[in-house]
Amino acid sequence: MELPNGDFAFSMARLLVFSTWRLALSQRLVLAADPVLAAIAAKGVKEVTYHRDYAAQWVVRLGDGTPLSHERMQAGLAAVWPYVGELFASHPVRNGRSGLGSRDEFDARDHPGARRRGARPAGIRWQG
């Protein structure tokens, strides 16, 4: 998700979405048959979990904060959401496979903080 930085709320929305996806990819790679790849992925799980939790905390703070911060967080999530599909787009190197396997699996995952006080952009398929 290579996008311009935008404001802080946008950056945290982008980090939350990307790190949630990346965490799922890393968790799958931990089970890889290649022990080196599995070890690298295991270390990545720790790192990406930190980034996902950091972003989730800011999404909650901004979403539950002042009316202005709530509006900016909503706008950040709405701006990032159209790009989520790119995480699942077919690519010759991946042979059409992403870290989660499908968009439905991504939508079914826990997105900490993004479920709070109406943080979901209209039309998204997150469950919970």
Side-chain angles (χ1 to χ4, degrees):
M1 294 180 63
E2 191 171 330
L3 300 169
N5 284 334
D7 67 8
F8 187 72
F10 173 84
S11 295
M12 289 301 100
R14 179 182 59 195
L15 180 60
L16 178 63
V17 169
F18 182 75
S19 59
T20 298
W21 174 80
R22 188 59 176 222
L23 180 58
L25 173 63
S26 297
Q27 288 170 334
R28 281 202 172 186
L29 291 175
V30 166
L31 305 174
D34 181 340
V36 174
L37 179 58
I40 293 169
K43 182 170 177 131
V45 165
K46 294 174 190 174
E47 296 292 328
V48 177
T49 297
Y50 166 81
H51 291 289
R52 196 266 326 256
D53 292 347
Y54 176 82
Q57 290 171 12
W58 274 108
V59 167
V60 169
R61 278 187 204 120
L62 294 172
D64 287 350
T66 67
L68 177 60
S69 72
H70 176 78
E71 181 182 319
R72 290 179 88 158
M73 192 68 256
Q74 283 287 116
L77 287 167
V80 167
W81 196 255
Y83 296 97
V84 170
E86 291 183 13
L87 298 172
F88 303 94
S90 180
H91 188 279
V93 174
R94 285 185 288 154
N95 210 11
R97 303 183 126 198
S98 72
L100 286 170
S102 75
R103 174 69 184 265
D104 290 332
E105 191 175 341
F106 175 83
D107 290 336
R109 289 188 70 84
D110 184 30
H111 298 273
R115 294 187 305 260
R116 304 272 303 232
R117 206 175 111 194
R120 297 178 190 177
I124 70 167
R125 299 181 292 173
W126 287 344
Q127 298 175 352

